[in-house]
Amino acid sequence: MTAIVLAAGKGERLGLNTPKQFIKINGKEMVKIAVERMFKLNPRIIILTTPKDYVERTRKLFEGVNSIKIIEGGKTRAESVLKALELVNEDDEVVLIHDGARPFFPVDKTLRCVRAAEEIGAATLAVPVKDTIAISSDNKIASFPDRSKLWALQTPQCFKAALIKKAHELLKKDNFLPTDDTSLILRYNLSEVKIVEGEHYNIKVTYPVDLAFASVIMEELVNE
Ligand code: C5P
């Protein structure tokens, strides 16, 4: 399995000067927490995307670590994925794609996600939505989807390599800005996507309040 860890975003919603992957949670850089956890899955290699100006700093952070390739990301998340996929040669392995801003993904459930991708082609971690979700029009509620069918998608997401490479090849000629990778699989009708129920503590650190949650999650919830 090859793992792609995406950490080339600017983290603008966090409102700090440092990209969020270098912000420390309980003394350790978020990207380091995510990558160390990823190694528990025994990937053949981890490809890590980082912002252009942070390639050197990221290389320093992982000095002496084997089986990691650090590359400059793209302008969008999808471009970063594409750049990483260009380094994946094998077509018959599973490629795992993960947002580096989710440092606490559950290892056991991610393994299930990898197995599901081996079996059916594509799989994602997700949790049932706890809020009532409304669809708006002009800032007014237009309709309510049935909550019992709604899932909040997380990462890791896992794919047969050939499938996800095909998806990103097709995206090149498409005017679509995906926020994850499973959406491409359905958009181009390439496979079914299995949902593997994940954990609510697998948060994406996005807003300032998430840093407080992350600190508590690291101390009290994550022990694998
Ligand atoms: O912006 P968003 O929260 O969707 O980003 C998800 C992940 O993708 C983050 O871990 C971020 O660092 C990464 N990303 C990237 N390259 C970009 C934009 C985002 O690797 N150009």
Side-chain angles (χ1 to χ4, degrees), residues 13-71:
R13 289 168 288 183
L14 212 48
L16 302 171
N17 286 329
T18 319
K20 63 182 164 191
Q21 46 279 18
F22 295 100
I23 291 170
K24 289 185 179 171
I25 299 168
N26 300 349
K28 194 180 273 191
E29 289 82 359
M30 208 183 321
V31 67
K32 203 155 189 197
I33 301 171
V35 165
E36 282 178 1
R37 181 168 290 272
M38 195 56 75
F39 272 121
K40 293 186 180 186
L41 294 163
N42 276 326
R44 200 168 54 78
I45 191 164
I46 295 177
I47 303 168
L48 173 64
T49 71
T50 190
K52 187 170 190 262
D53 301 336
Y54 286 81
V55 174
E56 278 319 305
R57 186 165 162 189
T58 310
R59 295 218 163 112
K60 274 225 176 77
L61 198 61
F62 292 100
E63 218 165 86
V65 178
N66 292 325
S67 311
I68 188 162
K69 197 171 265 176
I70 293 154
I71 62 166

Side-chain angles (χ1 to χ4, degrees), residues 6-9 13 20-21 49 74-77 80 99-101 204:
L6 301 169
R13 289 168 288 183
K20 63 182 164 191
Q21 46 279 18
T49 71
K75 279 198 278 300
T76 62
R77 183 190 186 279
S80 292
D99 291 336
K204 176 156 75 170

Side-chain angles (χ1 to χ4, degrees), residues 149-178:
K149 289 193 179 146
L150 294 181
W151 291 84
L153 299 201
Q154 302 177 331
T155 66
Q157 300 187 333
C158 305
F159 309 90
K160 282 189 178 148
L163 268 186
I164 194 64
K165 285 206 240 171
K166 172 109 191 270
H168 278 270
E169 208 45 52
L170 291 167
L171 180 63
K172 282 183 187 169
K173 293 169 237 125
D174 192 357
N175 192 15
F176 175 57
L177 197 63

Side-chain angles (χ1 to χ4, degrees), residues 49-173:
T49 71
T50 190
K52 187 170 190 262
D53 301 336
Y54 286 81
V55 174
E56 278 319 305
R57 186 165 162 189
T58 310
R59 295 218 163 112
K60 274 225 176 77
L61 198 61
F62 292 100
E63 218 165 86
V65 178
N66 292 325
S67 311
I68 188 162
K69 197 171 265 176
I70 293 154
I71 62 166
E72 181 186 323
K75 279 198 278 300
T76 62
R77 183 190 186 279
E79 269 183 39
S80 292
V81 174
L82 180 64
K83 282 183 147 193
L85 283 176
E86 279 165 357
L87 302 176
V88 178
N89 297 319
E90 261 106 306
D91 270 356
D92 53 354
E93 68 170 357
V94 164
V95 174
L96 174 159
I97 302 177
H98 182 58
D99 291 336
R102 293 185 190 271
F104 310 116
F105 62 97
V107 173
D108 53 346
K109 293 183 171 170
T110 300
L111 274 174
R112 265 190 244 166
C113 189
V114 174
R115 301 278 169 273
E118 278 166 357
E119 274 165 36
I120 76 156
T124 182
L125 289 195
V127 286
V129 165
K130 57 188 172 187
D131 297 308
T132 297
I133 307 285
I135 296 178
S136 71
S137 170
D138 291 333
N139 263 346
K140 291 189 201 109
I141 292 179
S143 63
F144 291 98
D146 176 0
R147 188 174 67 183
S148 67
K149 289 193 179 146
L150 294 181
W151 291 84
L153 299 201
Q154 302 177 331
T155 66
Q157 300 187 333
C158 305
F159 309 90
K160 282 189 178 148
L163 268 186
I164 194 64
K165 285 206 240 171
K166 172 109 191 270
H168 278 270
E169 208 45 52
L170 291 167
L171 180 63
K172 282 183 187 169
K173 293 169 237 125

